[in-house]
Amino acid sequence: MRFLIKLIPEREEFRVPYNHQHHLQGLVYRRIQRMDPDLSLRLHQPKAPKLFTYSLFMAEERKFEKEKPYFTGKGHGFFYFSTAVPEIAEAFIGGLLENPEVELWGERFTVKEVRALYEPERLSGRKFVTLSPVVVSTTKQILGKPRSYDLTPTDPEFYEHIRENLIEKYTALTGRPPEGGEVGIDVLLAKPKRFEVKPGIFQRAWHLVFRARGDEGLLRVGYLAGFGEKNSIGFGMVKVDEVKRRKRTRQGGERNRESKEV
């Protein structure tokens, strides 16, 4: 289940810090806790897939200034939320609608619209674009100690870890491992990003354009719950890159003349 959430700002212009995922994370957990405390407790269990993700916060109009840690937005703000668990969607969206007044990073908004989005029937072979960057990591021995190491799309392990992560989510969601379990990813474009997820704690991630093939069940889990790791703190949400076809209008036809007269 995927949703577009539009918010009207209190001020005509508003600021959006580049490092804002933890603010959205707080909003998600507060609204879920308000509607379903038991679900909120389950989502706080360590090392269990959370099975939801969300995009970066965006604005209808954006203005960037050099060396500023934020961009200035105008018009409405918006972000996307996605989950593979209807219970999570019901609690979060219900919490937003029950209490539409939202404060994020010192800015005040009111929820204007929550819209459920169309989900493609087929995902294998499609091209995806990240709405929030992808995190993939492993553990390596550095100076004799095990350390978390962020992988890049140039590392072969990057793709295997994505596949293993999808299998883990699928198993947690369905209670059984997938029958196939094969996923192939071809990265077409990669751009590194660095975010401060908590004060003094930074995370390296990747905005990607990629084509994925393989098990539809695994790809569906990635589409709904996020690709890669740390989805519940705002990483790994993707959209399908739809090809927009322009409609051609024939000149001089009867319909064309009628439309001009109208």
Side-chain angles (χ1 to χ4, degrees):
M1 305 178 73
R2 294 165 68 89
F3 301 88
L4 167 63
I5 298 160
K6 290 185 179 181
L7 305 100
I8 299 298
E10 184 179 65
R11 301 190 302 160
E12 182 178 355
E13 291 190 344
F14 54 94
R15 294 178 178 178
V16 180
Y18 294 122
N19 299 304
H20 63 257
Q21 290 101 319
H22 61 286
H23 294 281
L24 291 177
Q25 180 190 26
L27 173 66
V28 172
Y29 276 106
R30 285 194 301 273
R31 291 299 191 267
I32 290 176
Q33 197 279 332
R34 182 187 184 97
M35 299 299 292
D36 193 335
D38 291 337
L39 173 61
S40 178
L41 286 174
R42 295 201 303 272
L43 291 175
H44 279 88
Q45 292 178 357
K47 297 183 179 180
K50 305 300 186 287
L51 299 175
F52 72 85
T53 189
Y54 45 91
S55 72
L56 297 177
F57 193 93
M58 293 166 261
E60 187 177 13
E61 298 179 29
R62 294 186 294 176
K63 181 172 66 176
F64 300 92
E65 299 180 47
K66 290 184 178 179
E67 299 181 359
K68 297 289 186 181
Y70 58 82
F71 67 83
T72 301
K74 195 173 182 180
H76 64 260
F78 64 98
F79 68 99
Y80 297 89
F81 178 84
S82 182
T83 179
V85 182
E87 184 183 14
I88 294 175
E90 182 179 353
F92 176 56
I93 300 304
L96 280 180
L97 296 177
E98 183 180 85
N99 183 16
E101 304 299 319
V102 171
E103 182 173 344
L104 296 167
W105 50 84
E107 299 280 359
R108 294 183 180 274
F109 301 88
T110 301
V111 176
K112 174 188 178 184
E113 179 185 4
V114 177
R115 184 193 309 168
L117 300 178
Y118 160 80
E119 297 175 15
E121 293 182 4
R122 180 183 59 83
L123 294 173
S124 182
R126 307 295 290 272
K127 185 164 71 171
F128 298 87
V129 179
T130 51
L131 293 170
S132 55
V134 173
V135 171
V136 183
S137 65
T138 188
T139 301
K140 289 192 174 184
Q141 291 289 328
I142 301 176
L143 299 177
K145 296 182 179 180
R147 304 282 187 183
S148 178
Y149 177 82
D150 293 322
L151 296 168
T152 78
T154 60
D155 297 316
E157 291 176 86
F158 184 89
Y159 306 96
E160 181 58 25
H161 279 260
I162 287 180
R163 188 185 74 86
E164 291 174 353
N165 180 270
L166 290 174
I167 291 174
E168 180 184 8
K169 291 172 185 168
Y170 182 95
T171 304
L173 181 64
T174 65
R176 55 181 174 79
E179 293 182 4
E182 294 303 318
V183 169
I185 292 177
D186 298 319
V187 171
L188 308 175
L189 182 66
K191 183 178 181 181
K193 302 292 289 185
R194 186 171 180 261
F195 291 91
E196 188 174 21
V197 293
K198 292 182 180 179
I201 299 177
F202 294 88
Q203 178 63 60
R204 188 184 187 189
W206 294 86
H207 269 306
L208 302 174
V209 178
F210 64 93
R211 195 174 299 279
R213 297 179 177 84
D215 189 289
E216 283 286 343
L218 291 181
L219 294 178
R220 182 72 54 184
V221 169
Y223 181 76
L224 291 175
F227 283 85
E229 306 163 23
K230 303 186 178 182
N231 309 123
S232 64
I233 62 173
F235 292 100
M237 186 174 186
V238 303
K239 68 174 183 178
V240 171
D241 187 23
E242 300 284 2
V243 177
K244 295 182 179 180
R245 297 180 180 178
R246 295 182 179 179
K247 294 182 178 180
R248 296 183 179 179
T249 303
R250 294 182 179 179
Q251 299 296 323
E254 182 178 349
R255 287 188 178 179
N256 190 52
R257 289 197 300 270
E258 287 177 353
S259 64
K260 287 182 180 178
E261 290 172 1
V262 172

